[in-house]
Amino acid sequence: MRRHGENVCAEGGMRNAEKRKEKDGETEENAMSEEYAVKRPDGPVRWSVEVPGSKSMTNRALLLAALSDGSVRLDGVLFSEDTGHFLRALQDLGFPVEVREDRKQVVVRGCAGVIPEKTGEIYVGSAGTAARFLTAMLGFSDGMYTVQASEQMKRRPMGPLFELLEAAGAAVTYMEKEMCLPVCIRGSAPVKEAGPLELKLDISQSTQFLSALLLISPLAGSGLRIHITSDKADGSYIRITRKMMEDFGVFVSFDGRNYEISGRAVYHRTQYTVEPDMSAACYFYAAAAVTGGRVLVRHVHMDNTQGDLKFLGVLEQMGCTVEETGEGIVVCGPHGGTLRGLCVNMNDFSDQALTLAAIAPFADGPVRIEGIGHIRRQESDRIHAIAAELHRIGIRCDEEPEAVTIYPGAPHGGVIETYDDHRVAMAFSLTGLRADGIRIAGPECCAKTFKDYFTILDRLCGEQNLYPGKEKCNV
């Protein structure tokens, strides 16, 4: 049942939300008042660096642990704004959580699919994974909850998930705009039936809707069958979800169009290690590419399950060499940082579209990035951000609904507008490794996933020869 405007949840939630809005506003204002001036290295970089744990895997692991039938120790956890919102939401819902940030550990005592608190409010900030995954869990609960979000998250798609939760029996009250956060949600509290619950889903806007339903599928009682109606039926993040579910003891059947999880599924595990964040590693690998240097990211290996590993193949096509060592993967850029132009479909690893766009001006021919229409609906309209910010520093970029083409050129200095989007900020810092005068507005937005990024970059640029490796590179 859809309702708009009628608030069936605690009034205190609205008061708390207003306080959070004020805090978010202060944070955004402070962030936009500062700039980071990228230090251009004197020559090819030689870096050795570590990156934090994967945000996507951390938040999946937190949910799996909370739904498990006992205590789970998570190692390699990322501590950032997004994961912080997820952790606090679990605590607000009554899950026992022990945080050991100095050891990059979290211990969650799972409640076997039961949410301890039957009423309450959570705040997901701008975290898409927290918004989609936790809302799905609440939709299959036996309680009533308010889900609040940042202004940025309120603009991001949620409709397909709300429609499915309502079809499954949940009651959703839209507190501001139809099909958007914030909402009040009364869970469907499903009972075990003769057969699995059957749902249909379009994942063209976001694969997180499917990951959310898969992750909470043990709550569906008698099982869950999801028929995908969009052309896209699979993706790298969905494969991560399925692999992690299997690591926790629940198998997902997939025939190319339908996903099915049997009834009586139970998550169980005592320890799980989160992989290093491949998305973060790619910024440093791109630094090797654009400067003709050498970068080792420690503990990142070819068995990494994250989709952004495919970006290394793109760098190879552009003239880089990629080698796995005992310490981690090493990328060496081409001599002089002269990259090759190419055309690539990045639908399955679109978080790196901005990274490629930021180094594309230094290629010897056009760089065309296709299959990325969905990134217009992420933290910012990322296709427009690519075009606008490249134009701002003097680079020709043709913007299309689902693609961009970037032409070779010599970027001039300028202030990059980041749109409060962490990936815009980190990506365009790479342009500043080859162009003088690049400044990043609001660098604090990186706290969403990699709060120390600019601190690490500043140190690396100040001491650019930090890696004595002997791999076969051009430098």
Side-chain angles (χ1 to χ4, degrees):
M1 179 186 300
R2 298 183 187 176
R3 293 171 289 179
H4 180 76
E6 177 192 356
N7 187 1
V8 298
C9 299
E11 293 181 1
M14 291 298 292
R15 291 193 294 271
N16 292 338
E18 291 303 319
K19 292 178 182 178
R20 283 163 172 157
K21 286 180 189 176
E22 291 173 9
K23 185 177 184 296
D24 282 352
E26 291 170 1
T27 301
E28 290 173 9
E29 182 180 352
N30 291 341
M32 295 309 296
S33 68
E34 297 184 15
E35 295 175 0
Y36 174 83
V38 181
K39 296 177 182 177
R40 181 178 177 181
D42 295 333
V45 302
R46 296 171 63 88
W47 293 346
S48 175
V49 65
E50 290 186 16
V51 295
S54 163
K55 179 259 296 187
S56 298
M57 295 184 74
T58 293
N59 279 352
R60 282 167 171 78
L62 288 170
L63 183 59
L64 289 165
L67 296 177
S68 293
D69 61 359
S71 291
V72 185
R73 191 187 81 224
L74 304 177
D75 294 303
V77 170
L78 169 69
F79 289 93
S80 69
E81 284 185 357
D82 276 14
T83 60
H85 289 311
F86 210 113
L87 277 166
R88 284 188 291 274
L90 291 179
Q91 291 170 326
D92 289 344
L93 293 171
F95 290 97
V97 176
E98 181 183 353
V99 176
R100 305 167 181 170
E101 187 167 354
D102 59 330
R103 286 185 271 177
K104 301 178 183 177
Q105 285 182 351
V106 172
V107 178
V108 181
R109 194 167 81 229
C111 297
V114 176
I115 300 176
E117 296 289 341
K118 302 307 175 186
T119 61
E121 176 195 284
I122 63 171
Y123 178 74
V124 298
S126 297
T129 49
R132 278 74 180 252
F133 298 174
L134 292 170
T135 298
M137 180 180 71
L138 298 179
F140 278 82
S141 74
D142 59 352
M144 187 165 61
Y145 308 92
T146 302
V147 183
Q148 296 284 356
S150 70
E151 293 302 316
Q152 185 187 74
M153 190 64 225
K154 290 177 185 179
R155 297 189 292 269
R156 295 179 66 182
M158 289 289 291
L161 179 59
F162 290 142
E163 290 175 343
L164 281 181
L165 294 179
E166 290 175 325
V172 181
T173 300
Y174 301 100
M175 299 169 64
E176 294 181 12
K177 184 179 178 182
E178 191 89 357
M179 292 296 170
C180 295
L181 293 174
V183 297
C184 289
I185 186 165
R186 188 193 301 271
S188 59
V191 296
K192 293 186 178 181
E193 300 174 355
L197 174 66
E198 299 197 13
L199 299 170
K200 295 181 179 180
L201 178 63
D202 181 330
I203 62 170
S204 57
Q205 292 187 62
S206 175
T207 60
Q208 286 181 0
F209 302 136
L210 176 56
S211 284
L213 289 171
L214 293 175
L215 288 164
I216 59 88
S217 58
L219 304 184
S222 58
L224 185 63
R225 181 182 295 131
I226 306 167
H227 176 72
I228 304 302
T229 60
S230 51
D231 290 339
K232 181 174 183 176
D234 196 8
S236 58
Y237 284 107
I238 298 168
R239 291 189 288 274
I240 289 173
T241 296
R242 293 173 59 196
K243 174 63 166 60
M244 292 183 67
M245 289 174 65
E246 291 173 14
D247 289 341
F248 277 74
V250 175
F251 180 76
V252 180
S253 172
F254 177 54
D255 64 6
R257 185 56 53 182
N258 301 285
Y259 293 84
E260 187 165 357
I261 301 91
S262 64
R264 300 178 301 280
V266 178
Y267 291 127
H268 176 79
R269 194 170 178 110
T270 58
Q271 186 277 335
Y272 184 83
T273 300
V274 175
E275 293 178 350
D277 189 0
M278 194 68 208
S279 299
C282 285
Y283 298 116
F284 299 105
Y285 290 138
V290 78
T291 66
R294 174 192 287 125
V295 169
L296 162 70
V297 182
R298 296 189 295 278
H299 314 303
V300 172
H301 294 278
M302 288 297 185
D303 61 358
N304 188 289
T305 63
Q306 298 160 64
D308 283 358
L309 185 68
K310 293 181 180 180
F311 186 65
L312 297 183
V314 174
L315 293 181
E316 286 184 307
Q317 292 181 61
M318 299 182 82
C320 298
T321 61
V322 177
E323 181 179 352
E324 178 155 27
T325 72
E327 292 183 273
I329 296 171
V330 175
V331 170
C332 300
H335 180 70
T338 301
L339 303 166
R340 301 189 198 114
L342 81 170
C343 176
V344 58
N345 187 310
M346 299 187 73
N347 183 272
D348 205 33
F349 55 115
S350 59
D351 277 349
Q352 296 310 313
L354 274 154
T355 311
L356 178 56
I359 65 174
F362 308 105
D364 60 7
V367 172
R368 180 171 173 79
I369 307 171
E370 300 178 334
I372 56 171
H374 60 285
I375 72 172
R376 289 190 181 275
R377 298 178 293 272
Q378 294 183 315
E379 282 85 342
S380 67
D381 179 342
R382 288 178 173 169
I383 290 181
H384 179 71
I386 287 170
E389 299 316 304
L390 286 174
H391 285 309
R392 191 187 302 276
I393 56 177
I395 296 299
R396 177 186 171 191
C397 178
D398 294 343
E399 177 182 354
E400 301 173 35
E402 298 189 359
V404 290
T405 302
I406 301 128
Y407 296 87
H412 57 66
V415 179
I416 300 297
E417 173 60 64
T418 55
Y419 311 92
D420 199 29
D421 187 334
H422 57 133
R423 302 226 176 271
V424 176
M426 290 187 280
F428 275 95
S429 69
L430 301 170
T431 313
L433 300 180
R434 280 281 297 275
D436 291 322
I438 298 296
R439 303 189 304 281
I440 308 297
E444 292 86 352
C445 64
C446 292
K448 179 178 173 67
T449 54
F450 195 170
K451 61 184 178 181
D452 296 326
Y453 175 77
F454 282 105
T455 300
I456 293 171
L457 182 66
D458 203 57
R459 176 180 62 83
L460 291 171
C461 288
E463 307 173 44
Q464 66 191 68
N465 293 313
L466 296 178
Y467 175 50
K470 302 298 183 182
E471 288 72 26
K472 297 177 181 178
C473 295
N474 296 303
V475 294

